[in-house]
Amino acid sequence: MIDSHCHLDHEPLFDNLDDVLKRSKDVGIQKLLTICTTFESYEKIKQLVKKDDIIYGTYGIHPHEAKNHKNIKSMNIIKKINLSKKIIGIGETGLDFYYNYSDKSDQIKSFEEHITAAQITGFPLIVHTRS
């Protein structure tokens, strides 16, 4: 069994990683894919993927965070995912026009850059969508 979308970089999971890993393995989880949402979360994810063989990660900027990462470019995304063989996807990215924490234009631009990076690399794209 694979948990294909978790956020091990968020609390309380990050500070209780040993317990999370034990419980996951006890119930038969063979892989955990921790999903990136910000530049800062990626720093934690780079650490997490080194801690256990079952942990893999992604790199991306969540649509809520697009306003804080207006300079995201597909080539920078590609550089980030190439830093580790255990970074195996792009995202979490997409569009969230329900909450509109970031302007629509910022979300669309960010999403387009993530899509381009996925097209160039062939990596899967983890998409968040709401309204």
Side-chain angles (χ1 to χ4, degrees):
M1 187 177 345
I2 297 171
D3 183 336
S4 65
H5 191 119
C6 59
H7 293 280
L8 297 177
D9 59 302
H10 293 191
E11 297 304 338
L13 302 176
F14 187 75
D15 280 340
N16 295 296
L17 185 61
D18 291 339
D19 185 49
V20 170
L21 287 169
K22 182 183 180 327
R23 287 185 290 129
S24 296
K25 291 174 182 180
D26 286 349
V27 297
I29 301 289
Q30 297 171 332
K31 304 287 182 208
L32 294 164
L33 183 60
T34 186
I35 308 297
C36 183
T37 57
T38 64
F39 290 145
E40 295 78 19
S41 76
Y42 185 65
E43 293 305 313
K44 287 183 176 179
I45 289 170
K46 286 190 308 187
Q47 296 171 29
L48 287 165
V49 299
K50 294 176 184 176
K51 289 196 179 274
D52 197 284
D53 289 343
I54 74 168
I55 303 173
Y56 290 80
T58 69
Y59 176 75
I61 303 301
H62 193 282
H64 291 334
E65 300 295 329
K67 68 178 177 247
N68 299 320
H69 303 285
K70 291 184 180 188
N71 295 324
I72 189 93
K73 299 290 183 207
S74 59
M75 296 318 292
N76 290 335
I77 295 167
I78 292 167
K79 286 178 188 175
K80 296 282 189 188
I81 63 174
N82 285 333
L83 291 176
S84 169
K85 292 195 182 298
K86 291 187 77 183
I87 303 301
I88 61 169
I90 296 172
E92 180 168 1
T93 185
L95 304 171
D96 192 322
F97 298 155
Y98 182 80
Y99 289 110
N100 283 318
Y101 290 137
S102 291
D103 290 338
K104 287 182 181 183
S105 60
D106 291 337
Q107 291 185 52
I108 291 167
K109 182 177 180 270
S110 177
F111 192 27
E112 290 173 340
E113 293 294 332
H114 285 81
I115 291 168
T116 298
Q119 289 172 326
I120 291 169
T121 62
F123 273 45
L125 188 66
I126 294 87
V127 178
H128 170 96
T129 182
R130 190 178 345 211
S131 295

mmCIF file of all heavy atoms in Angstrom, residues 29-67:
data_model
loop_
_atom_site.group_PDB
_atom_site.id
_atom_site.type_symbol
_atom_site.label_atom_id
_atom_site.label_comp_id
_atom_site.label_asym_id
_atom_site.label_seq_id
_atom_site.Cartn_x
_atom_site.Cartn_y
_atom_site.Cartn_z
ATOM 1 N N ILE A 29 1.962 0.110 5.091
ATOM 2 C CA ILE A 29 2.350 1.154 4.133
ATOM 3 C C ILE A 29 3.783 0.862 3.681
ATOM 4 O O ILE A 29 4.682 0.698 4.504
ATOM 5 C CB ILE A 29 2.277 2.566 4.754
ATOM 6 C CG1 ILE A 29 0.874 2.888 5.256
ATOM 7 C CG2 ILE A 29 2.778 3.624 3.778
ATOM 8 C CD1 ILE A 29 -0.153 3.120 4.192
ATOM 9 N N GLN A 30 3.995 0.796 2.369
ATOM 10 C CA GLN A 30 5.320 0.517 1.820
ATOM 11 C C GLN A 30 6.014 1.762 1.301
ATOM 12 O O GLN A 30 7.245 1.785 1.180
ATOM 13 C CB GLN A 30 5.200 -0.521 0.705
ATOM 14 C CG GLN A 30 4.676 -1.845 1.219
ATOM 15 C CD GLN A 30 4.351 -2.795 0.087
ATOM 16 O OE1 GLN A 30 4.021 -2.388 -1.015
ATOM 17 N NE2 GLN A 30 4.446 -4.078 0.373
ATOM 18 N N LYS A 31 5.249 2.791 0.951
ATOM 19 C CA LYS A 31 5.808 4.050 0.458
ATOM 20 C C LYS A 31 4.946 5.199 0.956
ATOM 21 O O LYS A 31 3.716 5.088 1.032
ATOM 22 C CB LYS A 31 5.843 4.112 -1.073
ATOM 23 C CG LYS A 31 6.599 2.983 -1.751
ATOM 24 C CD LYS A 31 8.086 3.113 -1.586
ATOM 25 C CE LYS A 31 8.782 1.968 -2.322
ATOM 26 N NZ LYS A 31 10.046 1.611 -1.754
ATOM 27 N N LEU A 32 5.607 6.312 1.269
ATOM 28 C CA LEU A 32 4.938 7.551 1.641
ATOM 29 C C LEU A 32 5.417 8.633 0.679
ATOM 30 O O LEU A 32 6.625 8.823 0.514
ATOM 31 C CB LEU A 32 5.313 7.968 3.069
ATOM 32 C CG LEU A 32 4.848 7.074 4.207
ATOM 33 C CD1 LEU A 32 5.618 7.403 5.484
ATOM 34 C CD2 LEU A 32 3.356 7.243 4.427
ATOM 35 N N LEU A 33 4.495 9.337 0.044
ATOM 36 C CA LEU A 33 4.854 10.435 -0.844
ATOM 37 C C LEU A 33 4.450 11.735 -0.166
ATOM 38 O O LEU A 33 3.260 12.047 -0.059
ATOM 39 C CB LEU A 33 4.170 10.304 -2.199
ATOM 40 C CG LEU A 33 4.537 11.373 -3.235
ATOM 41 C CD1 LEU A 33 6.042 11.356 -3.542
ATOM 42 C CD2 LEU A 33 3.727 11.181 -4.508
ATOM 43 N N THR A 34 5.454 12.475 0.326
ATOM 44 C CA THR A 34 5.190 13.729 1.010
ATOM 45 C C THR A 34 5.222 14.862 -0.017
ATOM 46 O O THR A 34 6.166 14.990 -0.789
ATOM 47 C CB THR A 34 6.155 13.941 2.199
ATOM 48 O OG1 THR A 34 5.760 15.107 2.917
ATOM 49 C CG2 THR A 34 7.603 14.027 1.795
ATOM 50 N N ILE A 35 4.166 15.649 -0.011
ATOM 51 C CA ILE A 35 3.896 16.616 -1.069
ATOM 52 C C ILE A 35 4.330 18.015 -0.638
ATOM 53 O O ILE A 35 3.953 18.502 0.424
ATOM 54 C CB ILE A 35 2.396 16.620 -1.411
ATOM 55 C CG1 ILE A 35 1.886 15.209 -1.709
ATOM 56 C CG2 ILE A 35 2.098 17.578 -2.555
ATOM 57 C CD1 ILE A 35 2.497 14.524 -2.900
ATOM 58 N N CYS A 36 5.082 18.663 -1.504
ATOM 59 C CA CYS A 36 5.616 19.995 -1.250
ATOM 60 C C CYS A 36 4.566 21.072 -1.549
ATOM 61 O O CYS A 36 3.791 20.941 -2.500
ATOM 62 C CB CYS A 36 6.841 20.200 -2.146
ATOM 63 S SG CYS A 36 7.684 21.768 -1.915
ATOM 64 N N THR A 37 4.598 22.153 -0.755
ATOM 65 C CA THR A 37 3.672 23.269 -0.963
ATOM 66 C C THR A 37 4.367 24.627 -1.037
ATOM 67 O O THR A 37 3.777 25.589 -1.516
ATOM 68 C CB THR A 37 2.615 23.319 0.158
ATOM 69 O OG1 THR A 37 3.279 23.415 1.418
ATOM 70 C CG2 THR A 37 1.718 22.089 0.128
ATOM 71 N N THR A 38 5.594 24.729 -0.526
ATOM 72 C CA THR A 38 6.327 26.000 -0.510
ATOM 73 C C THR A 38 7.829 25.724 -0.640
ATOM 74 O O THR A 38 8.277 24.587 -0.481
ATOM 75 C CB THR A 38 6.123 26.763 0.823
ATOM 76 O OG1 THR A 38 6.690 25.998 1.887
ATOM 77 C CG2 THR A 38 4.661 27.059 1.102
ATOM 78 N N PHE A 39 8.603 26.779 -0.869
ATOM 79 C CA PHE A 39 10.059 26.641 -0.867
ATOM 80 C C PHE A 39 10.527 26.108 0.486
ATOM 81 O O PHE A 39 11.404 25.266 0.564
ATOM 82 C CB PHE A 39 10.755 27.988 -1.110
ATOM 83 C CG PHE A 39 10.602 28.540 -2.506
ATOM 84 C CD1 PHE A 39 10.495 29.903 -2.699
ATOM 85 C CD2 PHE A 39 10.590 27.724 -3.627
ATOM 86 C CE1 PHE A 39 10.373 30.438 -3.979
ATOM 87 C CE2 PHE A 39 10.471 28.242 -4.902
ATOM 88 C CZ PHE A 39 10.355 29.609 -5.081
ATOM 89 N N GLU A 40 9.926 26.628 1.559
ATOM 90 C CA GLU A 40 10.329 26.230 2.910
ATOM 91 C C GLU A 40 10.015 24.758 3.173
ATOM 92 O O GLU A 40 10.799 24.049 3.800
ATOM 93 C CB GLU A 40 9.645 27.116 3.954
ATOM 94 C CG GLU A 40 10.062 28.563 3.904
ATOM 95 C CD GLU A 40 9.411 29.382 2.782
ATOM 96 O OE1 GLU A 40 8.353 28.965 2.231
ATOM 97 O OE2 GLU A 40 9.975 30.444 2.427
ATOM 98 N N SER A 41 8.864 24.303 2.699
ATOM 99 C CA SER A 41 8.527 22.896 2.932
ATOM 100 C C SER A 41 9.484 21.980 2.176
ATOM 101 O O SER A 41 9.795 20.885 2.639
ATOM 102 C CB SER A 41 7.066 22.587 2.565
ATOM 103 O OG SER A 41 6.841 22.504 1.191
ATOM 104 N N TYR A 42 9.987 22.450 1.032
ATOM 105 C CA TYR A 42 10.928 21.632 0.271
ATOM 106 C C TYR A 42 12.216 21.399 1.058
ATOM 107 O O TYR A 42 12.799 20.315 0.979
ATOM 108 C CB TYR A 42 11.234 22.275 -1.080
ATOM 109 C CG TYR A 42 12.107 21.415 -1.946
ATOM 110 C CD1 TYR A 42 11.650 20.184 -2.408
ATOM 111 C CD2 TYR A 42 13.386 21.804 -2.291
ATOM 112 C CE1 TYR A 42 12.446 19.372 -3.191
ATOM 113 C CE2 TYR A 42 14.190 20.995 -3.076
ATOM 114 C CZ TYR A 42 13.718 19.786 -3.524
ATOM 115 O OH TYR A 42 14.515 18.976 -4.294
ATOM 116 N N GLU A 43 12.638 22.374 1.824
ATOM 117 C CA GLU A 43 13.841 22.188 2.645
ATOM 118 C C GLU A 43 13.634 21.036 3.622
ATOM 119 O O GLU A 43 14.536 20.221 3.832
ATOM 120 C CB GLU A 43 14.205 23.483 3.372
ATOM 121 C CG GLU A 43 14.651 24.604 2.440
ATOM 122 C CD GLU A 43 15.813 24.203 1.543
ATOM 123 O OE1 GLU A 43 16.791 23.616 2.047
ATOM 124 O OE2 GLU A 43 15.738 24.458 0.328
ATOM 125 N N LYS A 44 12.462 20.945 4.210
ATOM 126 C CA LYS A 44 12.156 19.833 5.114
ATOM 127 C C LYS A 44 12.041 18.517 4.348
ATOM 128 O O LYS A 44 12.497 17.471 4.815
ATOM 129 C CB LYS A 44 10.856 20.099 5.880
ATOM 130 C CG LYS A 44 10.973 21.145 6.950
ATOM 131 C CD LYS A 44 9.655 21.274 7.688
ATOM 132 C CE LYS A 44 9.733 22.252 8.836
ATOM 133 N NZ LYS A 44 8.429 22.379 9.526
ATOM 134 N N ILE A 45 11.432 18.568 3.180
ATOM 135 C CA ILE A 45 11.245 17.351 2.386
ATOM 136 C C ILE A 45 12.589 16.770 1.974
ATOM 137 O O ILE A 45 12.763 15.542 1.988
ATOM 138 C CB ILE A 45 10.314 17.630 1.190
ATOM 139 C CG1 ILE A 45 8.880 17.838 1.704
ATOM 140 C CG2 ILE A 45 10.373 16.503 0.161
ATOM 141 C CD1 ILE A 45 7.905 18.359 0.684
ATOM 142 N N LYS A 46 13.552 17.619 1.639
ATOM 143 C CA LYS A 46 14.891 17.113 1.300
ATOM 144 C C LYS A 46 15.486 16.338 2.462
ATOM 145 O O LYS A 46 16.181 15.346 2.256
ATOM 146 C CB LYS A 46 15.815 18.267 0.899
ATOM 147 C CG LYS A 46 15.532 18.838 -0.465
ATOM 148 C CD LYS A 46 16.600 19.799 -0.951
ATOM 149 C CE LYS A 46 16.922 20.892 0.016
ATOM 150 N NZ LYS A 46 17.843 21.914 -0.504
ATOM 151 N N GLN A 47 15.223 16.764 3.694
ATOM 152 C CA GLN A 47 15.682 16.030 4.875
ATOM 153 C C GLN A 47 14.887 14.733 5.056
ATOM 154 O O GLN A 47 15.460 13.682 5.354
ATOM 155 C CB GLN A 47 15.494 16.866 6.137
ATOM 156 C CG GLN A 47 16.298 18.125 6.218
ATOM 157 C CD GLN A 47 15.852 18.964 7.421
ATOM 158 O OE1 GLN A 47 15.380 18.437 8.435
ATOM 159 N NE2 GLN A 47 15.982 20.269 7.301
ATOM 160 N N LEU A 48 13.581 14.826 4.886
ATOM 161 C CA LEU A 48 12.700 13.684 5.127
ATOM 162 C C LEU A 48 13.012 12.500 4.223
ATOM 163 O O LEU A 48 13.004 11.356 4.685
ATOM 164 C CB LEU A 48 11.235 14.104 4.937
ATOM 165 C CG LEU A 48 10.649 14.974 6.039
ATOM 166 C CD1 LEU A 48 9.355 15.629 5.574
ATOM 167 C CD2 LEU A 48 10.423 14.149 7.298
ATOM 168 N N VAL A 49 13.280 12.745 2.951
ATOM 169 C CA VAL A 49 13.506 11.630 2.025
ATOM 170 C C VAL A 49 14.779 10.860 2.358
ATOM 171 O O VAL A 49 14.926 9.710 1.943
ATOM 172 C CB VAL A 49 13.502 12.076 0.541
ATOM 173 C CG1 VAL A 49 12.155 12.686 0.169
ATOM 174 C CG2 VAL A 49 14.640 13.028 0.218
ATOM 175 N N LYS A 50 15.669 11.473 3.130
ATOM 176 C CA LYS A 50 16.903 10.802 3.543
ATOM 177 C C LYS A 50 16.711 9.958 4.800
ATOM 178 O O LYS A 50 17.542 9.120 5.118
ATOM 179 C CB LYS A 50 18.002 11.838 3.809
ATOM 180 C CG LYS A 50 18.447 12.590 2.576
ATOM 181 C CD LYS A 50 19.456 13.641 2.947
ATOM 182 C CE LYS A 50 19.862 14.483 1.749
ATOM 183 N NZ LYS A 50 20.774 15.575 2.139
ATOM 184 N N LYS A 51 15.615 10.165 5.525
ATOM 185 C CA LYS A 51 15.424 9.521 6.821
ATOM 186 C C LYS A 51 14.979 8.065 6.751
ATOM 187 O O LYS A 51 15.219 7.309 7.670
ATOM 188 C CB LYS A 51 14.436 10.323 7.658
ATOM 189 C CG LYS A 51 15.019 11.634 8.126
ATOM 190 C CD LYS A 51 14.195 12.227 9.246
ATOM 191 C CE LYS A 51 14.797 13.508 9.730
ATOM 192 N NZ LYS A 51 15.809 13.337 10.737
ATOM 193 N N ASP A 52 14.309 7.690 5.654
ATOM 194 C CA ASP A 52 13.804 6.319 5.577
ATOM 195 C C ASP A 52 13.586 5.948 4.119
ATOM 196 O O ASP A 52 13.195 6.796 3.317
ATOM 197 C CB ASP A 52 12.488 6.192 6.357
ATOM 198 C CG ASP A 52 12.145 4.749 6.655
ATOM 199 O OD1 ASP A 52 11.694 4.051 5.728
ATOM 200 O OD2 ASP A 52 12.326 4.318 7.809
ATOM 201 N N ASP A 53 13.810 4.680 3.810
ATOM 202 C CA ASP A 53 13.655 4.196 2.434
ATOM 203 C C ASP A 53 12.238 4.332 1.900
ATOM 204 O O ASP A 53 12.041 4.369 0.682
ATOM 205 C CB ASP A 53 14.084 2.732 2.335
ATOM 206 C CG ASP A 53 15.585 2.556 2.466
ATOM 207 O OD1 ASP A 53 16.323 3.545 2.307
ATOM 208 O OD2 ASP A 53 16.026 1.420 2.726
ATOM 209 N N ILE A 54 11.238 4.373 2.779
ATOM 210 C CA ILE A 54 9.858 4.424 2.280
ATOM 211 C C ILE A 54 9.396 5.844 1.952
ATOM 212 O O ILE A 54 8.329 6.014 1.366
ATOM 213 C CB ILE A 54 8.855 3.734 3.237
ATOM 214 C CG1 ILE A 54 8.575 4.557 4.491
ATOM 215 C CG2 ILE A 54 9.301 2.329 3.579
ATOM 216 C CD1 ILE A 54 7.386 4.041 5.296
ATOM 217 N N ILE A 55 10.177 6.862 2.293
ATOM 218 C CA ILE A 55 9.750 8.246 2.077
ATOM 219 C C ILE A 55 10.276 8.775 0.745
ATOM 220 O O ILE A 55 11.466 8.731 0.470
ATOM 221 C CB ILE A 55 10.216 9.176 3.215
ATOM 222 C CG1 ILE A 55 9.710 8.688 4.573
ATOM 223 C CG2 ILE A 55 9.751 10.608 2.952
ATOM 224 C CD1 ILE A 55 10.257 9.464 5.751
ATOM 225 N N TYR A 56 9.343 9.299 -0.051
ATOM 226 C CA TYR A 56 9.639 9.994 -1.306
ATOM 227 C C TYR A 56 8.977 11.361 -1.246
ATOM 228 O O TYR A 56 8.116 11.602 -0.406
ATOM 229 C CB TYR A 56 9.118 9.197 -2.504
ATOM 230 C CG TYR A 56 9.912 7.934 -2.741
ATOM 231 C CD1 TYR A 56 9.674 6.795 -1.985
ATOM 232 C CD2 TYR A 56 10.914 7.896 -3.697
ATOM 233 C CE1 TYR A 56 10.411 5.639 -2.173
ATOM 234 C CE2 TYR A 56 11.669 6.742 -3.896
ATOM 235 C CZ TYR A 56 11.404 5.621 -3.132
ATOM 236 O OH TYR A 56 12.145 4.492 -3.323
ATOM 237 N N GLY A 57 9.370 12.261 -2.137
ATOM 238 C CA GLY A 57 8.830 13.605 -2.090
ATOM 239 C C GLY A 57 8.562 14.194 -3.457
ATOM 240 O O GLY A 57 8.861 13.592 -4.494
ATOM 241 N N THR A 58 8.001 15.396 -3.425
ATOM 242 C CA THR A 58 7.746 16.181 -4.631
ATOM 243 C C THR A 58 8.263 17.592 -4.407
ATOM 244 O O THR A 58 8.644 17.951 -3.290
ATOM 245 C CB THR A 58 6.238 16.257 -4.944
ATOM 246 O OG1 THR A 58 5.583 17.053 -3.946
ATOM 247 C CG2 THR A 58 5.607 14.884 -5.036
ATOM 248 N N TYR A 59 8.222 18.388 -5.467
ATOM 249 C CA TYR A 59 8.525 19.815 -5.341
ATOM 250 C C TYR A 59 7.460 20.609 -6.074
ATOM 251 O O TYR A 59 7.175 20.334 -7.244
ATOM 252 C CB TYR A 59 9.901 20.179 -5.905
ATOM 253 C CG TYR A 59 10.109 21.678 -5.841
ATOM 254 C CD1 TYR A 59 10.384 22.282 -4.628
ATOM 255 C CD2 TYR A 59 9.947 22.467 -6.957
ATOM 256 C CE1 TYR A 59 10.502 23.655 -4.536
ATOM 257 C CE2 TYR A 59 10.073 23.846 -6.874
ATOM 258 C CZ TYR A 59 10.349 24.434 -5.663
ATOM 259 O OH TYR A 59 10.456 25.793 -5.570
ATOM 260 N N GLY A 60 6.894 21.577 -5.399
ATOM 261 C CA GLY A 60 5.913 22.448 -6.029
ATOM 262 C C GLY A 60 5.423 23.521 -5.087
ATOM 263 O O GLY A 60 5.716 23.497 -3.894
ATOM 264 N N ILE A 61 4.674 24.447 -5.660
ATOM 265 C CA ILE A 61 4.112 25.561 -4.908
ATOM 266 C C ILE A 61 2.587 25.468 -4.979
ATOM 267 O O ILE A 61 1.995 25.497 -6.059
ATOM 268 C CB ILE A 61 4.586 26.919 -5.481
ATOM 269 C CG1 ILE A 61 6.114 27.006 -5.484
ATOM 270 C CG2 ILE A 61 3.955 28.078 -4.719
ATOM 271 C CD1 ILE A 61 6.777 26.864 -4.126
ATOM 272 N N HIS A 62 1.964 25.352 -3.819
ATOM 273 C CA HIS A 62 0.509 25.254 -3.709
ATOM 274 C C HIS A 62 -0.135 26.550 -4.220
ATOM 275 O O HIS A 62 0.442 27.624 -4.046
ATOM 276 C CB HIS A 62 0.156 25.024 -2.230
ATOM 277 C CG HIS A 62 -1.252 24.615 -2.003
ATOM 278 N ND1 HIS A 62 -2.292 25.518 -2.024
ATOM 279 C CD2 HIS A 62 -1.803 23.398 -1.759
ATOM 280 C CE1 HIS A 62 -3.416 24.874 -1.782
ATOM 281 N NE2 HIS A 62 -3.143 23.584 -1.624
ATOM 282 N N PRO A 63 -1.334 26.479 -4.828
ATOM 283 C CA PRO A 63 -1.957 27.705 -5.334
ATOM 284 C C PRO A 63 -2.200 28.775 -4.263
ATOM 285 O O PRO A 63 -2.145 29.972 -4.565
ATOM 286 C CB PRO A 63 -3.272 27.230 -5.955
ATOM 287 C CG PRO A 63 -3.461 25.824 -5.528
ATOM 288 C CD PRO A 63 -2.120 25.287 -5.159
ATOM 289 N N HIS A 64 -2.430 28.369 -3.016
ATOM 290 C CA HIS A 64 -2.580 29.363 -1.943
ATOM 291 C C HIS A 64 -1.306 30.185 -1.766
ATOM 292 O O HIS A 64 -1.353 31.328 -1.316
ATOM 293 C CB HIS A 64 -2.890 28.698 -0.598
ATOM 294 C CG HIS A 64 -4.243 28.068 -0.506
ATOM 295 N ND1 HIS A 64 -5.328 28.465 -1.246
ATOM 296 C CD2 HIS A 64 -4.675 27.042 0.263
ATOM 297 C CE1 HIS A 64 -6.374 27.738 -0.936
ATOM 298 N NE2 HIS A 64 -6.007 26.857 -0.019
ATOM 299 N N GLU A 65 -0.165 29.597 -2.104
ATOM 300 C CA GLU A 65 1.139 30.230 -1.890
ATOM 301 C C GLU A 65 1.666 30.956 -3.131
ATOM 302 O O GLU A 65 2.761 31.530 -3.087
ATOM 303 C CB GLU A 65 2.152 29.171 -1.457
ATOM 304 C CG GLU A 65 1.784 28.457 -0.184
ATOM 305 C CD GLU A 65 1.770 29.379 1.028
ATOM 306 O OE1 GLU A 65 2.549 30.346 1.049
ATOM 307 O OE2 GLU A 65 0.979 29.132 1.943
ATOM 308 N N ALA A 66 0.925 30.942 -4.217
ATOM 309 C CA ALA A 66 1.401 31.548 -5.470
ATOM 310 C C ALA A 66 1.761 33.017 -5.293
ATOM 311 O O ALA A 66 2.721 33.507 -5.899
ATOM 312 C CB ALA A 66 0.355 31.375 -6.570
ATOM 313 N N LYS A 67 1.039 33.720 -4.442
ATOM 314 C CA LYS A 67 1.328 35.147 -4.216
ATOM 315 C C LYS A 67 2.704 35.364 -3.588
ATOM 316 O O LYS A 67 3.309 36.414 -3.767
ATOM 317 C CB LYS A 67 0.247 35.759 -3.335
ATOM 318 C CG LYS A 67 0.252 35.233 -1.908
ATOM 319 C CD LYS A 67 -0.793 35.880 -1.032
ATOM 320 C CE LYS A 67 -0.769 35.257 0.324
ATOM 321 N NZ LYS A 67 -1.950 34.494 0.637
#
